[in-house]
Amino acid sequence: MNKISCDICMDLIPLIKDGIASEDSCNLVKKHIEECKMCNEFYEDTDRINNENIKMNDKKVISKIKNQLMIGSMIMVMIGSFIGVGVSESEWMFYNIVIMPIVGGLGYFIFNKKSYIVPIGIFSLTYIWDFIKYIVDISSNEMDIMSIIITPLWWGIIYAALSALGIIIGFLLYIAFKKESN
C-alpha cells in the first residue's frame, strides 16, 4: 500500500545508512528493496549496516545542530566584537551603541551563566586594540604615556558596559519568554 519509487528509495538509502532517516522511511525502504532487485543492489553496494543502526539517532542529530548553532553564534559574537572595536574613533563609532548590546545579548544566549566572559573579552579586545593603535601613532597624536594607558581603559569600560547591558536585556527577554511558555 505504501509503495515508493526507485528514485525516492535511492534518495533515502544514504539517509538510512547515516542513521538520520525516520523509522517509517526505513520501513518503506526495507519493503521496497525486498521487491526491487536494482534498489537492493544499490543498498548492498553502499556500506553494510546492522538493523539496529537503522533507527534514527535523535540525540546525535540534535547535538550536531546545537554544535553548529553554537559555532555560528560564537563566530557572530567575535565578528561583532571586532567590528565594534574596529569602528572605534571613526565616524561609525556611534553604531557601537547598537552593536555592543547585540554582542552581549548573543553572548548571553550562547554562554548562559558564563556570559560574563563577553564583557571581559570586549574590554580586553578594546584595550589591546586601542593601546596598540595609540602606541603606533604616538608620534602624530601628541599623547603622553599616561593618556595612552588611560584612554583605552575608558573605551574598554564603555564597550564592556554596553555589552553587559546586552546581557541584561538577553536575560530579561529569557525571563519574559519563559513566563509566556508556562
Side-chain angles (χ1 to χ4, degrees), residues 70 106-116 167 174:
M70 178 74 76
L106 284 173
Y108 174 77
F109 290 109
I110 294 169
F111 299 115
N112 290 331
K113 293 179 182 176
K114 294 184 179 182
S115 59
Y116 61 86
I167 291 171
Y174 171 76

Side-chain angles (χ1 to χ4, degrees), residues 100-110 118 163 165-170:
M100 291 303 170
I102 290 173
V103 168
L106 284 173
Y108 174 77
F109 290 109
I110 294 169
V118 175
S163 64
L165 178 66
I167 291 171
I168 293 168
I169 292 169

Side-chain angles (χ1 to χ4, degrees), residues 18-181:
D18 290 340
I20 57 173
S22 68
E23 195 171 332
D24 290 338
S25 296
C26 293
N27 291 334
L28 284 172
V29 169
K30 279 184 188 178
K31 288 178 186 175
H32 182 84
I33 62 175
E34 288 173 0
E35 298 171 2
C36 178
K37 184 178 179 183
M38 183 177 73
C39 291
N40 191 4
E41 289 174 6
F42 179 76
Y43 183 83
E44 289 176 1
D45 285 344
T46 57
D47 297 326
R48 294 203 176 271
I49 60 170
N50 297 330
N51 287 337
E52 299 89 41
N53 293 337
I54 290 179
K55 291 185 179 175
M56 184 174 167
N57 188 349
D58 291 337
K59 290 181 182 179
K60 184 177 179 182
V61 173
I62 291 172
S63 173
K64 283 184 180 181
I65 291 171
K66 279 185 178 179
N67 287 341
Q68 289 175 349
L69 288 174
M70 178 74 76
I71 290 169
S73 299
M74 290 175 87
I75 289 171
M76 287 173 48
V77 166
M78 290 172 48
I79 289 173
S81 300
F82 281 115
I83 288 173
V85 171
V87 299
S88 296
E89 297 184 27
S90 72
E91 63 270 10
W92 299 320
M93 72 183 288
F94 295 107
Y95 287 115
N96 282 332
I97 294 171
V98 175
I99 293 172
M100 291 303 170
I102 290 173
V103 168
L106 284 173
Y108 174 77
F109 290 109
I110 294 169
F111 299 115
N112 290 331
K113 293 179 182 176
K114 294 184 179 182
S115 59
Y116 61 86
I117 294 171
V118 175
I120 292 170
I122 295 286
F123 175 81
S124 303
L125 178 66
T126 303
Y127 187 83
I128 292 168
W129 178 277
D130 285 345
F131 184 77
I132 291 171
K133 184 171 60 172
Y134 293 143
I135 291 291
V136 169
D137 292 338
I138 198 165
S139 62
S140 65
N141 63 18
E142 299 179 9
M143 294 176 77
D144 62 347
I145 194 69
M146 284 307 290
S147 295
I148 291 174
I149 293 171
I150 293 174
T151 304
L153 183 69
W154 285 112
W155 283 115
I157 290 170
I158 291 168
Y159 291 158
L162 286 171
S163 64
L165 178 66
I167 291 171
I168 293 168
I169 292 169
F171 175 70
L172 293 174
L173 286 172
Y174 171 76
I175 290 173
F177 288 123
K178 184 178 172 184
K179 286 184 179 179
E180 271 187 19
S181 65

